RNA sequence: AGCGGGGUGGGGAAGUCAGGUCAUCCCGUCGGGCUCAUAACCCGAAAAUCAGUAGUUCAAAUCUACUCCCCGCUACCA
């Protein structure tokens, strides 16, 4: 394992709030991985930024009568607040509209141009004579050529989900007039040039998921198309060519470069050589499956195009989309749960626990189900893990005056339990390093279940022989759990830590401490109380009834 | 259409890449126990020809071929 790592997650588009789907696939897995690597002693930084540019933001800000600057500033702040409430802890949350990113993007463009990877081409684009501007993407609405739904964007039909090649009956989304076709000069990135090198990169990187790799390799085999990287709008990073004042870069040209520019700024501000650090680190980009194309092809191609001045990704953990009650999340149909709204009802750790437990390391979609959420929280988190913590510590308080007893000679069952503690570190490490967060969490529950059984068999409340050993090992198992669940549920982890009577921040404990039997006789526990409150069915029913139309 | 992923006891999932140690986990049902613990927890039982067919093999949920059925992606989006 590399001693340095940079972790990023897909940049939230600054035009709406963070919802459950966002955090499930990218921000939460990335946050957990960051916390885990830090426990392993890796110098790791989790960097993110808001994605500020593009047509949808420009249009929306115009509608709301705001400048795009103010508009994205608002969402940048709000998103960060929501992330923090969910204990997604970035080391730095910046923005693609930062001066550093502007500079960086323009530099990269120039280098690509010098390298012969950029060319100009005239394309035909719709132009509105009333508004005197070109109309890319969402500036044009019309009839979807596939399903004939009216009032759809030219770059996306929300009815059927497809991307029209050419929309029927095009209209300007600002004034409703029919636009005309005009020629305009655009810049293209020669993605084709990189087919071989991309194939090599994908082949040689064994950390990438096999299924995603296959999928991308097929695209390469079918032949890549060069990529239009400019737009005729005012909101974006200007093209660094004097005669092109009216053009900006397409959002997907500039946004992922903010991974690098934000990291460099953060590290340089903290007295490190950002570029060196980047190149010495393992680079992780956590994404959802919808942006595989950009991260497995555009992003590496652009880094290859500037001679790998910044190293290519080592890991691109890609996860599926979240459905809600088995249906696609949709804001317009009110089939949607905002992160903020959720956290007003349930603790962050409940959501973190549930989302991880249903989220495999694959592109498979996962489903948020309210009933399943309640069951998993009540029976697995509370009935199994919470119960063990509470019964082991509570019993020690009641029967041993909160003091850890001196163990007697271990019998077979004690030794087996001791072994479980000894092996938990390596069992979990293997799973977490392989990004199998769901399996690691299951392993933790298995561990906890074992100690529930052990406690039951030993019947320490009867105060027979072996009671001291049982209490001794159980309390130490709780300590192991506290450290092990830290990446997943940092708040609960810290609570257990305090209940154990341990000082300081549990996050400073190294991962190997999980297997250390560190609480010796005479250690005094803190004050003990149940960690979790059960999820009430009535609240679940209330939440379910909020979804969907209420006309 | 192409590509990708699936079909495992009543429900939801794991296991499939490296075939045997495997039929596992959670919920539910039934019976028992315990009383330290948030009506928790522990033990046990019923219930699956692991979609179907054919094959490879000493051995297949796992590999191969074909068939049926689901879902996702195809360059906007986590």
């Amino acid at each position: 394992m590399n001693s340095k790592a940079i972790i990023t997650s897909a940049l939230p588009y600054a035009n709406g709030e963070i919802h459950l789907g966002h955090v499930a696939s990218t921000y939460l897995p990335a946050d957990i991985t960051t916390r885990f690597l830090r426990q392993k002693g890796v110098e790791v930084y989790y960097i993110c930024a808001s994605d500020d540019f593009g047509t949808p933001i420009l249009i929306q800000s115009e509608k709301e009568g705001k400048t795009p600057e103010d508009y994205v500033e608002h969402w940048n702040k709000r998103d960060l607040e929501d992330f923090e409430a969910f204990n997604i802890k970035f080391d730095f949350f910046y923005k693609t509209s930062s001066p550093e990113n502007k500079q960086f993007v323009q530099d990269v463009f120039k280098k690509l141009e010098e390298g012969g990877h950029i060319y100009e081409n005239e394309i035909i684009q719709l132009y509105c004579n009333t508004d005197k501007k070109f109309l890319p993407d969402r500036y044009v609405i019309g009839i979807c050529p596939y399903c004939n739904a009216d009032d759809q964007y030219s770059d996306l039909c929300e009815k059927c989900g497809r991307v029209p090649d050419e929309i029927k009956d095009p209209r300007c989304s600002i004034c409703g007039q029919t636009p005309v076709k005009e020629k305009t000069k655009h810049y293209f990135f020669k993605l084709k040039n990189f087919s071989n090198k991309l194939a090599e990169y994908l082949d040689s990187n064994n950390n990438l998921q096999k299924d995603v790799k296959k999928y991308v390799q097929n695209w390469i085999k079918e032949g890549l198309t060069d990529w239009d990287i400019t737009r005729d709008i005012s909101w974006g990073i200007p093209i660094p060519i004097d005669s092109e004042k009216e053009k900006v870069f397409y959002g997907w040209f500039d946004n992922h470069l903010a991974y690098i520019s934000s990291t460099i700024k953060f590290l340089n501000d903290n007295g490190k050589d950002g570029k060196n650090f980047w190149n010495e680190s393992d680079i992780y980009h956590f994404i959802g499956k919808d942006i595989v194309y950009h991260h497995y092809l555009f992003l590496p191609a652009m880094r290859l195009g500037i001679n790998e001045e910044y190293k290519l990704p080592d890991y691109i953990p890609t996860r599926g989309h979240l459905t809600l009650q088995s249906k696609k999340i949709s804001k317009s149909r009110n089939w949607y749960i905002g992160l903020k709204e959720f956290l007003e009802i349930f603790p962050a750790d409940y959501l973190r626990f549930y989302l991880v437990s249903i989220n495999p390391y694959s592109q498979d979609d996962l489903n948020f189900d309210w009933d399943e959420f309640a069951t998993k929280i009540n029976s697995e988190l509370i009935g199994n893990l919470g119960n063990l913590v509470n019964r082991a510590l509570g019993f020690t308080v009641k029967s041993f005056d909160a003091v850890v007893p001196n163990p007697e000679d271990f019998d077979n069952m004690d030794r087996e339990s001791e072994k479980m503690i000894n092996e938990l570190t390596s069992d979990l490490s293997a799973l977490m390093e392989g990004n199998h967060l769901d399996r690691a969490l299951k392993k933790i529950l298995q561990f906890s279940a074992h100690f529930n059984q052990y406690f039951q068999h030993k019947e320490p409340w009867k105060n027979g022989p072996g009671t001291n050993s049982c209490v001794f090992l159980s309390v130490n198992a709780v300590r192991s759990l506290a450290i092990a669940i830290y990446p997943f549920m940092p708040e609960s982890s810290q609570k257990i830590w305090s209940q154990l009577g341990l000082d300081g921040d549990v996050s400073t404990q190294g991962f190997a401490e999980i297997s250390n039997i560190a609480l010796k006789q005479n250690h005094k526990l803190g004050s003990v109380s149940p960690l979790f409150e059960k999820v009430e069915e009535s609240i679940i029913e209330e939440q379910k009834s909020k979804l969907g139309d209420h006309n």
Side-chain angles (χ1 to χ4, degrees):
Chain A
M1 181 183 283
N2 196 325
S3 64
K4 293 177 183 165
I6 299 292
I7 295 192
T8 73
S9 45
L11 308 180
Y13 199 55
N15 73 337
E17 71 166 347
I18 303 299
H19 62 67
L20 262 39
H22 295 111
V23 293
S25 60
T26 51
Y27 303 102
L28 180 57
D31 181 73
I32 291 169
T33 303
T34 305
R35 290 172 189 268
F36 163 69
L37 290 178
R38 204 159 276 155
Q39 284 179 305
K40 293 286 276 187
V42 175
E43 185 178 2
V44 53
Y45 299 106
Y46 184 11
I47 310 288
C48 197
S50 58
D51 184 4
D52 288 351
F53 292 124
T55 324
I57 282 176
L58 185 53
I59 292 179
Q60 193 57 35
S61 65
E62 281 168 355
K63 272 186 194 162
E64 295 183 17
K66 290 178 180 164
T67 65
E69 286 85 352
D70 288 348
Y71 182 84
V72 299
E73 180 64 20
H74 167 263
W75 284 114
N76 174 287
K77 266 194 182 152
R78 170 65 200 282
D79 287 351
L80 183 57
E81 276 169 29
D82 289 0
F83 284 131
E84 281 174 349
F86 191 45
N87 290 316
I88 301 288
K89 201 164 177 266
F90 300 116
D91 291 286
F92 189 44
F93 185 73
Y94 208 28
K95 52 188 178 181
T96 61
S97 59
S98 70
E100 291 83 0
N101 196 48
K102 276 184 193 165
Q103 186 64 51
F104 186 64
V105 169
Q106 292 181 339
D107 288 349
V108 168
F109 175 78
K110 282 184 206 150
K111 282 177 188 162
L112 290 175
E113 204 181 23
E114 282 159 20
H117 304 303
I118 303 287
Y119 64 91
E120 299 171 17
N121 198 12
E122 281 208 329
I123 60 162
I124 303 293
Q125 180 119 64
L126 295 171
Y127 182 86
C128 177
N129 278 316
T130 317
D131 295 301
K132 302 276 179 253
K133 58 172 118 186
F134 280 101
L135 304 174
D137 313 320
R138 294 193 175 202
Y139 272 106
V140 180
I141 51 174
I143 297 170
C144 170
Y146 297 105
C147 71
N148 288 317
D150 203 355
D151 288 328
Q152 299 303 320
Y153 295 117
S154 72
D155 62 345
L156 167 71
C157 172
E158 289 186 324
K159 275 281 182 296
C160 68
R162 278 176 282 198
V163 179
D165 284 332
E166 192 176 343
I167 199 150
K168 293 199 291 191
D169 185 24
R171 279 157 285 143
C172 169
S173 74
I174 308 163
C175 65
Q177 296 294 308
T178 303
V180 295
K181 289 181 176 175
E182 289 276 339
K183 279 184 185 169
T184 175
K185 188 171 75 185
H186 274 207
Y187 290 83
F188 284 75
F189 176 62
K190 287 188 189 171
L191 192 59
K192 273 194 199 107
N193 283 3
F194 296 93
S195 299
N196 291 338
K197 279 192 167 178
L198 284 170
E200 274 170 40
Y201 162 68
L202 293 168
D203 269 341
S204 63
N205 186 336
N206 292 320
N207 300 322
L208 302 175
Q209 286 142 281
K210 287 193 190 107
D211 52 339
V212 189
K213 232 193 235 194
K214 256 195 223 165
Y215 179 56
V216 177
Q217 277 161 336
N218 272 322
W219 270 334
I220 297 176
K221 276 181 208 147
E222 283 165 18
L224 299 173
T225 17
D226 289 343
W227 181 38
D228 181 354
I229 55 167
T230 48
R231 290 291 185 275
D232 297 287
I233 60 172
S234 58
W235 182 236
I237 294 181
I239 295 166
I241 296 174
D242 287 342
S243 58
E244 302 293 2
K245 290 276 190 274
E246 302 295 306
K247 290 184 202 303
V248 298
F249 287 112
Y250 175 51
W252 274 106
F253 185 82
D254 74 72
N255 62 8
H256 67 262
L257 290 171
Y259 293 151
I260 300 175
S261 63
S262 305
T263 301
I264 303 297
K265 172 174 169 60
F266 169 76
L267 291 169
N268 288 352
D269 285 355
N270 283 278
K272 294 176 197 296
D273 183 329
K275 189 170 178 177
N276 277 345
F277 194 97
W278 179 279
N279 287 319
E280 289 166 358
S281 297
D282 273 353
I283 305 296
Y284 293 73
H285 299 307
F286 283 78
I287 61 167
K289 67 175 180 182
D290 48 286
I291 50 175
V292 161
Y293 190 79
H294 310 85
H295 283 76
Y296 283 71
L297 296 177
F298 292 167
L299 180 155
M302 281 171 65
R303 288 190 202 161
L304 288 165
I306 56 170
N307 300 317
E308 302 186 46
E309 205 180 310
Y310 296 89
K311 74 183 283 200
L312 273 63
D314 296 289
Y315 298 85
I316 313 178
T318 305
R319 286 181 166 81
H321 279 185
L322 188 74
T323 53
L324 182 52
Q325 305 282 109
S326 303
K327 287 189 211 164
K328 212 171 169 173
I329 289 177
S330 158
K331 217 170 175 177
S332 54
R333 280 179 288 129
N334 191 33
W335 205 258
Y336 167 92
I337 305 172
L339 180 60
K340 186 178 180 181
E341 177 195 350
F342 190 98
L343 294 175
E344 281 163 7
I345 309 164
F346 295 111
D349 281 356
Y350 284 19
L351 186 58
R352 292 174 70 107
F353 176 87
Y354 176 64
L355 289 179
V356 172
S357 78
I358 61 170
N359 198 348
Y361 182 42
S362 79
Q363 288 192 95
D364 294 349
D365 282 339
L366 42 142
N367 181 37
F368 184 99
D369 182 277
W370 274 116
D371 292 320
E372 192 195 26
F373 168 76
T375 300
K376 279 195 177 267
I377 295 303
N378 288 343
S379 67
E380 294 180 18
L381 179 62
I382 302 179
N384 177 357
L385 194 150
N387 179 56
L388 176 73
V389 172
N390 193 232
R391 78 193 298 200
L393 302 189
F395 184 77
T396 310
V397 169
K398 266 186 198 163
S399 304
F400 288 85
D401 214 11
V403 172
V404 176
N406 192 20
E408 304 117 311
D409 288 342
F410 286 174
D411 66 9
N412 283 338
M413 215 182 272
D414 298 325
R415 275 190 288 274
E416 192 197 340
S417 298
E418 185 188 27
K419 196 173 159 222
M420 299 275 300
I421 296 176
N422 291 153
E423 289 175 352
L424 188 58
T425 301
S426 55
D427 287 351
L428 287 179
S429 282
L431 293 170
M432 308 268 299
E433 280 168 36
N435 228 297
H436 293 290
L437 307 180
D438 56 327
R439 295 188 201 171
L441 189 60
K442 271 188 195 108
K443 191 83 198 166
I444 291 172
L445 290 173
Q446 239 176 54
F447 177 85
S448 165
H450 168 84
F451 275 90
N452 267 318
Q453 288 161 18
Y454 169 69
F455 203 87
Q456 190 76 31
H457 288 303
K458 285 281 172 180
E459 303 182 316
W461 52 90
K462 290 187 177 165
N463 200 22
T467 293
N468 285 10
S469 295
C470 169
V471 172
F472 175 82
L473 283 172
S474 298
V475 170
N476 273 288
V478 170
R479 176 180 169 278
S480 301
L481 276 176
I483 303 167
I485 67 166
Y486 166 73
F488 300 96
M489 295 175 282
E491 281 178 17
S492 306
S493 164
Q494 186 63 41
K495 275 189 200 162
I496 298 173
W497 198 247
S498 306
Q499 295 196 12
L500 283 163
L502 294 164
D503 295 329
D505 201 327
V506 65
S507 67
T508 61
Q509 296 295 314
F511 203 71
E513 273 299 308
I514 289 172
S515 288
N516 188 10
I517 297 192
L519 299 176
K520 306 298 185 196
Q521 59 169 306
N522 296 328
H523 173 82
K524 177 110 171 136
L525 300 184
S527 69
V528 173
S529 61
L531 291 169
F532 306 110
E533 247 176 66
K534 289 222 170 179
V535 174
E536 296 292 336
E537 203 177 322
S538 58
I539 298 178
I540 294 298
E541 293 308 317
E542 199 185 320
Q543 296 311 312
K544 281 200 263 182
S545 70
K546 281 190 196 166
L547 295 171
D549 293 330
H550 297 287
N551 297 329

